[in-house]
């Protein structure tokens, strides 16, 4: 940080100096020089190149160390004017924290290990802040509050994720139940359709059998009526024959008494009925 300026062009030139310094550090590969020497040389050259040499002594440095897995963000040290002191604080904090990936210690599997690393990092950060003129106890209390907030947010996040999972499981269960109900209704409709089809088939068969039975009964009734008519005709024929024989006997007797002609029985060729002829 180079301090507050009221000229936008000067601020842009300072930003350009910092970018040039960053690029030069990425290009340099001298292993003999320390980070403090390379960074100081690059900053001085960049500010002198932009004509801002008078702002070089006014630079202040702050270290930002990722600590996302403990407090949800980085640890930032107070601004100091000594570049070597800032770089030393950076090395101390990195050593206390250890290697990270995206601000997290992925190698720490146990909660006790994470707490031990956090206590070491918090103590080192409090010492760095104390050396910069801040109260270490106040820094520790502030970090403890941030740590509590981080835990509360993590617990709330876990609870929210668990609630989301429960709701998702509930929705999936409801969907499965709805699908099962749809399948059951479809099976019931299919069964009802088959049952209705079977009932219609049975009804058609019963109706067909009833019609056949009616036809059979009607045929039997007609046959009975025909048989009755035939029997009645036979009875009538037998009665007529009996009457004819009786009448023939009576006529024969009468012809013997009176003499003369005689009656003879004949049958009509047109109607087939018997009649008497006197000769």
């Amino acid at each position: 940080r180079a301090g507050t300026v009221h000229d936008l062009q000067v601020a842009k030139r300072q930003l350009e100096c910092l970018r040039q310094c960053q690029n030069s550090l990425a290009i340099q590969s001298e292993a003999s020089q320390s980070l403090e020497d390379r960074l100081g040389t690059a900053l001085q050259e960049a500010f002198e190149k932009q004509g801002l040499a008078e702002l070089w002594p006014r630079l202040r440095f702050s270290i930002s160390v990722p600590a996302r897995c403990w407090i949800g963000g980085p640890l930032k040290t107070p601004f100091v004017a000594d570049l070597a002191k800032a770089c030393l604080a950076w090395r101390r904090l990195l050593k206390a924290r250890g290697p990270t990936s995206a601000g997290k210690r992925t190698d720490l599997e146990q909660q006790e290990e994470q707490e031990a690393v956090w206590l070491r990092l918090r103590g080192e950060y409090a010492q760095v802040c104390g050396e910069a003129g801040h109260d270490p106890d106040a820094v520790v209390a502030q970090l403890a509050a941030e740590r509590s907030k981080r835990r509360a947010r993590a617990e709330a996040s876990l609870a929210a994720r668990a609630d989301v999972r429960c709701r998702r499981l509930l929705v999936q269960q409801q969907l499965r139940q709805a699908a099962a109900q749809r399948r059951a209704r479809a099976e019931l409709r299919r069964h009802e359709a088959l049952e209705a089809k079977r009932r219609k088939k049975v009804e058609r068969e019963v109706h067909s059998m009833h019609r056949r039975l009616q036809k059979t009964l009607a045929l039997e009734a007609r046959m009975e009526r025909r048989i009755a008519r035939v029997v009645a005709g036979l009875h009538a024929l037998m009665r007529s024959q009996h009457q004819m024989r009786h009448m023939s006997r009576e006529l024969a007797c009468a012809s013997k008494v009176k003499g003369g002609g005689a009656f003879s029985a004949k049958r009509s060729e047109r109607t087939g009925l018997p009649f008497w002829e006197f000769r």
Side-chain angles (χ1 to χ4, degrees):
R1 185 175 69 177
T4 304
V5 295
H6 300 283
D7 190 349
L8 180 59
Q9 298 300 325
V10 175
K12 290 182 177 180
R13 291 165 63 188
Q14 290 180 359
L15 179 60
E16 185 65 25
C17 291
L18 295 177
R19 288 178 177 174
Q20 291 179 2
C21 177
Q22 182 180 5
N23 294 333
S24 62
L25 286 177
I27 295 174
Q28 291 178 4
S29 60
E30 292 91 335
S32 59
Q33 292 183 352
S34 62
L35 176 62
E36 295 88 334
D37 297 336
R38 286 187 292 156
L39 182 58
T41 302
L43 286 172
Q44 187 174 1
E45 291 178 355
F47 273 81
E48 290 178 354
K49 185 176 180 180
Q50 291 291 335
L52 301 175
E54 69 279 1
L55 296 179
W56 158 244
R58 293 167 54 185
L59 288 177
R60 299 293 182 270
F61 304 95
S62 175
I63 303 301
S64 178
V65 177
R68 182 180 175 184
C69 59
W70 293 289
I71 60 175
L75 286 174
K76 295 182 180 180
T77 63
F79 284 91
V80 295
D82 190 354
L83 177 59
K85 188 176 181 179
C87 292
L88 179 60
W90 174 65
R91 292 191 178 91
R92 290 167 58 187
L93 293 176
L94 286 183
K95 183 179 179 181
R97 185 204 60 185
T100 61
S101 175
K104 294 183 178 181
R105 285 292 300 272
T106 56
D107 58 329
L108 301 178
E109 299 180 357
Q110 301 295 331
Q111 185 67 25
E112 293 79 5
E113 296 179 354
Q114 293 185 4
E115 288 298 326
V117 173
W118 166 245
L119 292 176
R120 185 170 65 249
L121 178 60
R122 186 186 66 179
E124 196 67 35
Y125 179 75
Q127 291 182 8
V128 171
C129 292
E131 294 173 0
H134 292 262
D135 185 8
D137 295 335
V139 172
V140 171
Q142 182 181 1
L143 291 178
E146 293 181 0
R147 176 70 167 159
S148 300
K149 292 180 181 179
R150 169 66 177 174
R151 286 179 175 175
R153 288 194 298 269
E155 292 176 357
S157 178
L158 290 175
R161 287 197 293 269
D163 184 61
V164 170
R165 285 195 298 270
C166 291
R167 291 185 179 183
R168 186 181 295 113
L169 292 175
L170 180 60
V171 170
Q172 292 176 355
Q173 183 179 3
Q174 292 176 352
L175 291 176
R176 286 194 295 268
Q177 291 178 354
Q181 291 176 359
R182 287 195 298 270
R183 289 193 297 270
R185 288 195 296 268
E187 183 66 22
L188 179 61
R189 288 194 297 268
R190 188 181 66 84
H191 180 72
E192 290 177 351
L194 292 176
E195 186 65 21
K197 186 176 180 180
R198 188 187 64 81
R199 285 198 302 268
K200 289 182 179 179
K201 184 178 180 181
V202 171
E203 290 175 358
R204 287 195 299 268
E205 292 178 355
V206 170
H207 182 67
S208 178
M209 292 175 62
H210 182 67
R211 291 185 61 184
R212 288 196 298 269
L213 179 61
Q214 287 181 345
K215 289 181 180 180
T216 303
L217 292 177
L219 181 60
E220 290 179 354
R222 288 195 298 270
M223 294 297 293
E224 288 178 357
R225 287 194 297 270
R226 290 179 182 178
I227 292 172
R229 286 195 298 269
V230 171
V231 171
L234 291 175
H235 287 170
L237 180 61
M238 291 174 65
R239 283 195 302 269
S240 65
Q241 289 178 354
H242 179 71
Q243 290 176 1
M244 289 178 67
R245 284 195 298 271
H246 181 68
M247 290 177 66
S248 64
R249 284 194 298 269
E250 288 181 352
L251 290 175
C253 292
S255 63
K256 289 180 179 181
V257 173
K258 294 180 178 181
F263 289 92
S264 61
K266 291 186 176 181
R267 185 178 298 274
S268 175
E269 296 179 357
R270 184 173 62 85
T271 60
L273 297 175
F275 67 93
W276 293 97
E277 182 180 9
F278 181 76
R279 291 181 181 179

